[in-house]
Amino acid sequence: MNKPINKKRIAILAAAVLVALIATLSLTLGRSGSDAVTGSVNTAMKPLKTLMSAIVDQLEDIYGYLYRYDQLQAENEQLRAQISELEQEYREYIEVSDENVRLRALLGLSERNADYKYADATVISWTSSSWGSSFTMDKGSAGGVKVGDPVISENGDLIGRVTAVSSNTSTVTTLLDTDSSIGAEDSQTNELAVARGDFELLKQGKLKLAFLPENYAVKAGDTIVTSGGGGTYPQGLVIGTVDEVVSSSSGLTDYAVITPSANLSNLEFLYIITSYNAD
């Protein structure tokens, strides 16, 4: 395809025409005049010829630059297209890689809990509140999700439970929410208690282990799991780890502070337990 003639190329053509006219004039004078006249003309024309030669050289350099610029521009466009293709391939690779990770995690969960049925989902928005902790996920009743279903991470750590459902979305209230109350058990001592959301601890991303038994042995570092009592959650889901035990003078209001095992500040993919056998 022919390229449009720009101003620089017009200038080059004009200069070439000018040089041709000067050359023609010089030749004509040389042929028609005497030797003396020809010599005088040649002498007078010499500086002009030198100048025109320099101009022509400069114009040739400019033309060469413009030609190379066009080549570089074409190469640049090709490189941009190649980079765009590589970026798309990389995005597809990441998507496939992430999907493989999720499938392996789901396989691991299924192997550990053969009686569980799962639905996978993605967090699409969080509800901001100073006393609550909840989010919306992209799966609802059309995907088999119902109110009360436990929600866990890919590692099987408890996140919370479904508290509202529409056809294609669901609301999950996390274990940090001040309305959350979970039958809990210390996996080291087998002591039963209640893991519940607390207004002050919510700000720290933690929850409280309350109603400790008399002469309890709960201590920092213990793992707290769901007890399975009441049938709200299956037994053995990991809630978190005890940070510290807070004692009161009477001992009646002693409690432990728990840090959740699930990273609630960085949730993206999760699993809903849609069915399990409650013993």
Side-chain angles (χ1 to χ4, degrees):
M1 183 174 66
N2 294 330
K3 299 180 180 178
I5 299 177
N6 56 30
K7 293 181 179 180
K8 291 183 177 179
R9 288 177 178 164
I10 292 174
I12 293 173
L13 292 174
V17 171
L18 180 60
V19 171
L21 289 174
I22 292 173
T24 302
L25 177 62
S26 176
L27 181 61
T28 301
L29 290 173
R31 288 177 177 175
S32 60
S34 63
D35 292 340
V37 172
T38 300
S40 298
V41 170
N42 288 335
T43 300
M45 290 291 290
K46 186 174 182 180
L48 183 58
K49 290 180 179 179
T50 302
L51 176 61
M52 292 306 302
S53 177
I55 292 174
V56 170
D57 290 341
Q58 290 293 321
L59 291 174
E60 288 179 349
D61 290 342
I62 292 173
Y63 180 80
Y65 167 79
L66 292 174
Y67 179 75
R68 290 192 301 272
Y69 176 81
D70 289 342
Q71 285 185 318
L72 290 173
Q73 192 173 36
E75 292 175 3
N76 183 266
E77 291 300 323
Q78 291 177 352
L79 289 174
R80 286 180 182 274
Q82 291 174 5
I83 290 173
S84 179
E85 291 177 2
L86 290 173
E87 288 176 342
Q88 179 61 30
E89 291 176 2
Y90 177 73
R91 285 192 293 269
E92 292 174 355
Y93 167 78
I94 292 298
E95 290 176 0
V96 171
S97 178
D98 288 344
E99 184 178 5
N100 286 339
V101 169
R102 294 195 296 274
L103 290 174
R104 285 196 295 269
L106 181 58
L107 177 61
L109 290 173
S110 299
E111 289 176 345
R112 293 198 300 271
N113 303 285
D115 63 317
Y116 290 9
K117 291 184 179 179
Y118 300 96
D120 62 310
T122 302
V123 176
I124 55 178
S125 67
W126 276 86
T127 301
S128 178
S129 170
S130 59
W131 62 85
S133 175
S134 63
F135 60 84
T136 302
M137 61 183 181
D138 65 350
K139 186 153 293 185
S141 58
V145 179
K146 59 188 179 300
V147 171
D149 284 348
V151 180
I152 60 175
S153 70
E154 59 187 20
N155 296 318
D157 300 324
L158 182 63
I159 294 172
R161 70 187 186 96
V162 177
T163 52
V165 176
S166 67
S167 178
N168 297 311
T169 63
S170 300
T171 299
V172 177
T173 298
T174 79
L175 44 73
L176 296 181
D177 192 276
T178 55
D179 288 334
S180 175
S181 182
I182 307 165
E185 180 181 358
D186 187 317
S187 62
Q188 277 71 40
T189 67
N190 296 326
E191 294 172 326
L192 300 178
V194 176
R196 60 193 307 179
D198 179 84
F199 178 76
E200 292 299 327
L201 293 176
L202 172 61
K203 302 172 185 177
Q204 305 172 39
K206 300 179 181 182
L207 67 159
K208 177 185 290 187
L209 184 66
F211 304 110
L212 299 177
E214 188 177 356
N215 300 319
Y216 62 85
V218 176
K219 62 185 183 302
D222 287 358
T223 300
I224 306 301
V225 299
T226 55
S227 66
T232 304
Y233 297 94
Q235 186 177 13
L237 298 177
V238 177
I239 296 173
T241 303
V242 174
D243 279 355
E244 60 175 330
V245 177
V246 179
S247 301
S248 64
S249 56
S250 64
L252 297 176
T253 56
D254 291 2
Y255 64 91
V257 176
I258 306 172
T259 295
S261 293
N263 185 0
L264 300 179
S265 64
N266 189 32
L267 291 179
E268 184 176 3
F269 302 107
L270 43 86
Y271 298 95
I272 307 101
I273 302 175
T274 58
S275 175
Y276 66 95
N277 293 328
D279 297 328

